[in-house]
Amino acid sequence: RSSCWPGFDPDAIGWTCARPAEKHELDGLRFALSYAGTPSTIGERSGCAAGQLLDEGRSQHRALGRALRAAYVGESAAVGALLPDELPLFGETGLALRSSSLERAIVSGEELVAGLVNASARAFRRDARRAIPWTVGEPDFEFIYPNAKRCPRLSELEAAAATSFARDPEASAFDARTRAALEFAMGGGELATLRGNGALDCLAATSCQSAVDTGAALPANLSGALATDAWAAIQAYEAHLLSHDRAAWSRLAMGALGHQVLQHARSAVEGQLGRPKFALWSAHDTTVMPLMAALGVHDGRWAPYAAHFVFEVWRQSGAPPARAHGA
């Protein structure tokens, strides 16, 4: 969706929209993106749609990268030196990078890595032939976010959660009223859910950008009580979906990703040669929340920008090798 409502100006929002001539480069770093399980690389990216990264999002992820660098890179690392100060070849230093193929996830990850490696990537800047390997998922088979194309059972579980939600007359009536008002304010077009058709991305990005730029303010018929109600209704339905039936939808949606994270942890515990010491998954708010729900720690609120998980594997000094366990 490239337009949020009548008179919408995407330039006022400040979404980062790559142009066709732009390649996967940032601050002299080059990223070689390839689909998981295939040798083919992803070419130049282009296009702009609701939900692309704001400049504020770029700076947040760069700052997150610096924080992770302070914790895990070099002899002065606050937590532990997983990566050296100098990274001459990523394949030999144990850094694994993974994201979805969506633009905002790629740009977020690139900004984070630029903060993580900082000046230690001089070798990549000197040698134009070198690029940092980066794996993305094929959209139809992606598991880094809930994906009903990959797992149709998710649609069935979501339908069951929606039916359960509709049994609450107060919540469902509030949701329906808000959705109807939002459809009208956004210029028509049916919203199957309040998350659908870019509504959430439009509201979130415009509200965020308007805090620093009055030219990006919400239109009069979408501001105030309606915007507040929309956020409340979105969070209420999402919280119900995430927790319904002992978080069945969330646990299934995050099962493959959780397994992959656990595999990395087990390889670390078992001391497998060639294992990555630092693995990054650049994902989405719709990854963070169901993962929290699957782990039993979701608080019912929408995940903020730059929200993240850090999983660490520790071994007690002097203890025999342990085994990683998970469910």
Side-chain angles (χ1 to χ4, degrees):
R1 182 187 178 100
S2 59
S3 179
C4 290
W5 40 74
F8 172 76
D9 179 8
D11 291 332
I13 301 300
W15 273 320
T16 298
C17 300
R19 298 294 181 251
E22 207 173 346
K23 296 181 182 294
H24 302 282
E25 297 183 5
L26 182 66
D27 290 356
L29 297 174
R30 287 166 295 283
F31 300 92
L33 276 66
S34 61
Y35 284 116
T38 69
S40 60
T41 58
I42 298 176
E44 300 169 355
R45 58 178 186 256
S46 63
C48 182
Q52 307 295 39
L53 203 61
L54 297 173
D55 288 339
E56 181 177 355
R58 279 183 174 269
S59 63
Q60 287 176 329
H61 286 286
R62 183 71 68 102
L64 178 56
R66 294 191 188 105
L68 293 172
R69 175 179 175 80
Y72 303 113
V73 178
E75 294 182 359
S76 61
V79 177
L82 298 182
L83 300 173
D85 282 313
E86 294 294 333
L87 303 176
L89 287 173
F90 270 62
E92 297 178 3
T93 55
L95 177 60
L97 305 176
R98 172 74 162 86
S99 76
S100 71
S101 62
L102 295 176
E103 178 80 5
R104 57 186 176 271
I106 295 172
V107 176
S108 296
E110 289 175 348
E111 288 287 352
L112 190 152
V113 172
L116 177 71
V117 303
N118 202 9
S120 65
R122 288 192 295 270
F124 285 96
R125 294 189 174 96
R126 287 196 302 266
D127 190 343
R129 296 170 298 177
R130 292 181 179 177
I132 301 171
W134 189 297
T135 303
V136 303
E138 292 268 12
D140 286 350
F141 305 101
E142 181 59 270
F143 57 79
I144 206 168
Y145 53 74
N147 188 354
K149 288 184 178 180
R150 180 180 182 274
C151 180
R153 174 63 175 157
L154 287 173
S155 295
E156 298 174 8
L157 291 174
E158 182 166 8
T163 299
S164 171
F165 183 78
R167 294 194 185 105
D168 183 333
E170 185 176 348
S172 59
F174 177 63
D175 183 272
R177 288 196 309 271
T178 305
R179 189 166 66 249
L182 196 58
E183 288 170 350
F184 178 79
M186 294 182 71
E190 183 178 354
L191 298 176
T193 70
L194 284 167
R195 290 192 320 178
N197 205 27
L200 175 61
D201 292 327
C202 290
L203 278 172
T206 307
S207 299
C208 183
Q209 188 70 3
S210 65
V212 295
D213 180 5
T214 55
L218 291 165
N221 63 346
L222 234 175
S223 57
L226 177 55
T228 300
D229 286 350
W231 273 112
I234 287 168
Q235 291 190 121
Y237 176 78
E238 196 73 12
H240 184 84
L241 169 64
L242 294 173
S243 62
H244 177 67
D245 191 16
R246 297 181 297 170
W249 182 87
S250 299
R251 288 186 287 112
L252 181 59
M254 294 291 100
L257 176 60
H259 177 70
Q260 191 174 75
V261 172
L262 186 59
Q263 281 183 314
H264 279 274
R266 282 176 172 156
S267 69
V269 169
E270 295 166 4
Q272 296 178 10
L273 294 176
R275 64 177 175 81
K277 293 184 178 181
F278 186 101
L280 167 69
W281 289 266
S282 183
H284 303 269
D285 49 1
T286 49
T287 304
V288 172
M289 294 183 297
L291 186 55
M292 291 179 70
L295 294 172
V297 295
H298 186 241
D299 59 5
R301 295 182 296 177
W302 201 273
Y305 287 122
H308 60 281
F309 272 96
V310 176
F311 294 98
E312 296 178 346
V313 178
W314 287 76
R315 176 176 291 156
Q316 185 175 349
S317 178
R323 296 191 63 186
H325 297 277

